[in-house]
Amino acid sequence: MTISEQQLVCTRPFEWFEIHPDGSVFLCCPAWLKRPIGNLLRQSIDDIWNGPVAQEIRKSVSNGSFHNCSAKRCPHLLNRTAPVKCIDEVADDELKVAIAAKKGKVSFLPRQLNLCFDHSCNLACPSCRNKIQQASGLELQRAQRISQILQQKLIPHAHHITLSGFGDPFASPTYYNLLRTFNQRDFPELQQVRLHTNGQLLTKQMWQSLPDLPPLVSEIEISLDAATEQSYRLNRPGGDFQRLLQNLDFLKTTGCRLTLSMVVQQNNRHEISLLGNLAEKLGATLYLSKLVNWGTFSRQEYQRRAVHLSNHPEHADFVIQLQQLDKSATRFGNLSPLLKP
């Protein structure tokens, strides 16, 4: 795609390093930018980070073409929000120089690590997977090897770490053991850790077992996909809604920024306002996103659930519902285009 208005760039491919279970590395969420730039288990970091694919992707966001990116799925391209911005708005001088050069090569190592290399999770949510998964055998060996590489070569240079967009950080022994190593003494460059979890295992006891972590935590995103026990059973099989509410009450006391997120579909859209009320009670932000089929639904089932699709029988009512929400308290992500007249 070509941005016809004032030229925009994206800073993410100059900072982001996302690792998946087979070692594949991406410069952005692969739902938005599908091309991997290399494999951490088979290549050196420099061959990945400044390899030909990485450089080509960076050139495409430096010149404003964004031809590797999905303008329909990426909420930042859709809404013209950071990390998509005009180059004059890039505050970091080193980053600005790298983007302005339009050569695609950078002199610094990744500053933002997005850890998605262990699929272990205590729940089997239909929007993500069709069974509970726990890494074992070769998968576990790969996860442990990736964790070692991270600790030795990447985390010492990272400013921000997110885990996990895949699996749960507290259901994975590999992730948990990695979290135990995070501290500002050993990693002085590390400024922020962002946690993305279903919240079932994030109890007071779990939080207290990681004493060096809380000062680093910038945000905790809890994915609920429901605001009532009935819908929670449908969208979070195996989860305990009352336990989740107890954990949320505790997390409110930690002072961490909280986000409650919902992947909106036909069976939970009527609970968006209820979830917004819960977010307000907790001092949290509500984040909404559209349903993506990760291979867990048949085409027919996906179309039945995907209320954001224009041909869905409830789509028109859903759009009205979104437009009536408090926009100051809600982040609409890739649903934002539905707010436009």
Side-chain angles (χ1 to χ4, degrees):
M1 63 168 289
T2 299
I3 307 296
S4 58
E5 54 200 68
Q6 184 178 8
Q7 183 177 311
L8 302 174
V9 298
C10 181
T11 61
R12 178 161 287 182
F14 293 83
E15 301 184 284
W16 191 266
F17 199 87
E18 179 168 318
I19 311 113
H20 285 240
D22 65 350
S24 296
V25 177
F26 298 82
L27 292 180
C28 190
C29 171
W32 308 339
L33 199 164
K34 293 182 178 181
R35 295 180 67 186
I37 61 169
N39 190 291
L40 193 61
L41 294 172
R42 298 197 294 265
Q43 297 170 268
S44 71
I45 291 171
D46 189 60
D47 286 345
I48 299 169
W49 184 236
N50 276 315
V53 178
Q55 291 192 47
E56 195 277 321
I57 288 173
R58 292 191 189 110
K59 289 176 184 177
S60 76
V61 301
S62 296
N63 64 25
S65 72
F66 290 87
H67 66 261
N68 291 284
C69 306
S70 171
K72 292 182 179 179
R73 286 190 171 183
C74 175
H76 306 295
L77 263 180
L78 283 168
N79 303 316
R80 308 294 190 260
T81 56
V84 175
K85 59 183 73 175
C86 297
I87 192 166
D88 290 343
E89 296 173 330
V90 178
D92 185 282
D93 289 337
E94 193 174 26
L95 192 58
K96 194 171 189 175
V97 168
I99 296 171
K102 297 186 179 180
K103 294 181 179 179
K105 192 170 183 177
V106 291
S107 59
F108 47 87
L109 286 172
R111 296 170 173 176
Q112 298 186 37
L113 303 179
N114 195 42
L115 309 186
C116 304
F117 62 87
D118 189 347
H119 65 185
S120 299
C121 191
N122 54 312
L123 301 182
C125 308
S127 60
C128 178
R129 61 190 71 202
N130 50 30
K131 62 180 180 180
I132 291 177
Q133 296 173 310
Q134 188 70 41
S136 62
L138 181 58
E139 291 176 331
L140 180 58
Q141 292 175 25
R142 286 174 175 170
Q144 291 172 337
R145 177 58 184 146
I146 290 171
S147 180
Q148 290 174 351
I149 295 171
L150 284 166
Q151 291 179 69
Q152 294 168 5
K153 299 182 178 181
L154 287 167
I155 294 177
H157 305 278
H159 297 182
H160 309 278
I161 299 177
T162 296
L163 72 167
S164 164
F166 186 49
D168 192 276
F170 304 102
S172 160
T174 303
Y175 282 151
Y176 177 72
N177 288 332
L178 190 60
L179 285 171
R180 291 177 63 187
T181 71
F182 290 175
N183 64 77
Q184 292 176 314
R185 299 182 305 277
D186 297 328
F187 303 113
E189 296 294 318
L190 185 56
Q191 301 169 12
Q192 297 180 351
V193 175
R194 182 180 181 276
L195 300 172
H196 189 176
T197 171
N198 60 50
Q200 284 287 314
L201 301 177
L202 189 45
T203 61
K204 181 178 181 179
Q205 292 73 23
M206 177 67 78
W207 189 252
Q208 292 175 338
S209 74
L210 298 162
D212 291 323
L213 182 65
L216 289 168
V217 175
S218 60
E219 179 185 8
I220 304 174
E221 178 177 344
I222 311 291
S223 53
L224 288 82
D225 289 4
T228 66
E229 193 157 5
Q230 181 179 4
S231 293
Y232 195 76
R233 284 198 300 267
L234 290 174
N235 294 330
R236 290 285 183 265
D240 184 322
F241 190 63
Q242 295 307 315
R243 180 196 301 155
L244 174 65
L245 293 179
Q246 291 173 7
N247 291 348
L248 288 173
D249 282 339
F250 162 70
L251 291 174
K252 179 182 178 181
T253 69
T254 66
C256 291
R257 183 159 58 98
L258 298 179
T259 296
L260 305 187
S261 62
M262 173 185 278
V263 174
V264 182
Q265 50 192 302
Q266 190 273 337
N267 70 12
N268 65 12
R269 75 170 184 91
H270 292 292
E271 297 184 3
I272 293 175
S273 294
L274 285 176
L275 189 58
N277 292 340
L278 177 60
E280 183 179 8
K281 175 185 173 184
L282 295 168
T285 299
L286 175 63
Y287 179 74
L288 306 177
S289 60
K290 62 186 180 184
L291 182 69
V292 174
N293 189 0
W294 298 106
T296 56
F297 303 122
S298 66
R299 185 170 182 271
Q300 182 179 12
E301 177 64 10
Y302 178 69
Q303 290 182 330
R304 185 185 73 80
R305 290 174 176 257
V307 71
H308 67 275
L309 297 177
S310 59
N311 60 353
H312 193 282
E314 298 180 27
H315 178 76
D317 287 342
F318 174 56
V319 170
I320 293 172
Q321 180 186 6
L322 286 182
Q323 292 173 341
Q324 292 175 341
L325 292 173
D326 180 357
K327 299 182 178 52
S328 65
T330 309
R331 290 158 51 202
F332 293 88
N334 52 20
L335 289 169
S336 296
L338 299 183
L339 301 176
K340 298 176 183 178

